[in-house]
Amino acid sequence: GYLRGRGRMASVEWDNGEELIVELPFVRHSKKDGVLYLTNQRLAWAEYSAKDFKFQCGYAAVKSQRISPEASSKVQLQIVMTDGSTATFHFTNSSAEGVALQERNTVKDMLVKFIQHHKPKPNKELEEKTKSIPPNLQSVFLSVCLFLLLSFCLSVCLCVCLSVLFVC
């Protein structure tokens, strides 16, 4: 199901074909309160009443996620990007005991699915071609390539030596 928060939502624009899945207020990022969004294409965060996102990333750019321990005083989720950068979100909904933790865990679980779904797919054609070469031929091919490379290197060395002899 959909999670819809109540509060002062941001008035941001969505890309064509983008579907809002989760809209969650009471999420702090960079020491500012705002709204966390999960769509079918990306994770985004905006301050309340903002017209643009202060953070956004496609799911393919997410390497991993980390969560604060359940006993921690702060309920947090950290996103680690493929470029090594991070973004930390602090869930602050205090409407009832455990709500912030529940919201964080729901987002965490949904992110796992979205990240898996948006992972780059392996090239099927290349995979099939690689499978079609028997392992014994792969080693023969490698040996031939190595032989040709060494032959070329020896030829270059011989040419250099001969040119030095004829010049002197």
Side-chain angles (χ1 to χ4, degrees), residues 100-140:
L101 184 63
Q102 181 183 5
E103 290 176 345
R104 192 272 318 268
N105 289 340
T106 300
V107 170
K108 174 190 65 111
D109 294 341
M110 293 180 85
L111 273 175
V112 168
K113 292 176 186 171
F114 289 142
I115 292 166
Q116 193 67 274
H117 179 76
H118 287 85
K119 253 187 177 175
K121 307 287 186 260
N123 184 331
K124 296 271 187 209
E125 185 180 332
L126 182 60
E127 204 173 279
E128 288 301 317
K129 286 180 181 178
T130 304
K131 286 180 183 175
S132 66
I133 300 173
N136 60 341
L137 287 181
Q138 289 177 354
S139 64
V140 169

Side-chain angles (χ1 to χ4, degrees), residues 12-132:
V12 294
E13 297 279 327
W14 301 111
D15 290 343
N16 195 14
E18 191 166 16
E19 180 185 341
L20 180 62
I21 311 281
V22 174
E23 182 178 35
L24 199 59
F26 309 110
V27 178
R28 191 170 287 153
H29 175 63
S30 299
K31 299 182 181 181
K32 295 183 180 173
D33 293 322
V35 184
L36 183 68
Y37 300 96
L38 278 83
T39 74
N40 58 330
Q41 298 175 13
R42 62 183 162 166
L43 168 79
W45 181 89
E47 289 182 60
Y48 291 123
S49 305
K51 296 204 183 296
D52 60 340
F53 298 114
K54 299 297 181 204
F55 174 84
Q56 62 180 326
C57 69
Y59 298 116
V62 178
K63 180 179 177 182
S64 63
Q65 57 179 324
R66 300 178 187 145
I67 59 170
S68 56
E70 296 210 7
S72 176
S73 62
K74 287 186 176 182
V75 179
Q76 294 181 318
L77 171 74
Q78 184 180 60
I79 306 297
V80 181
M81 311 304 283
T82 54
D83 67 3
S85 62
T86 61
T88 303
F89 301 96
H90 177 194
F91 294 77
T92 61
N93 189 341
S94 60
S95 62
E97 188 175 335
V99 171
L101 184 63
Q102 181 183 5
E103 290 176 345
R104 192 272 318 268
N105 289 340
T106 300
V107 170
K108 174 190 65 111
D109 294 341
M110 293 180 85
L111 273 175
V112 168
K113 292 176 186 171
F114 289 142
I115 292 166
Q116 193 67 274
H117 179 76
H118 287 85
K119 253 187 177 175
K121 307 287 186 260
N123 184 331
K124 296 271 187 209
E125 185 180 332
L126 182 60
E127 204 173 279
E128 288 301 317
K129 286 180 181 178
T130 304
K131 286 180 183 175
S132 66

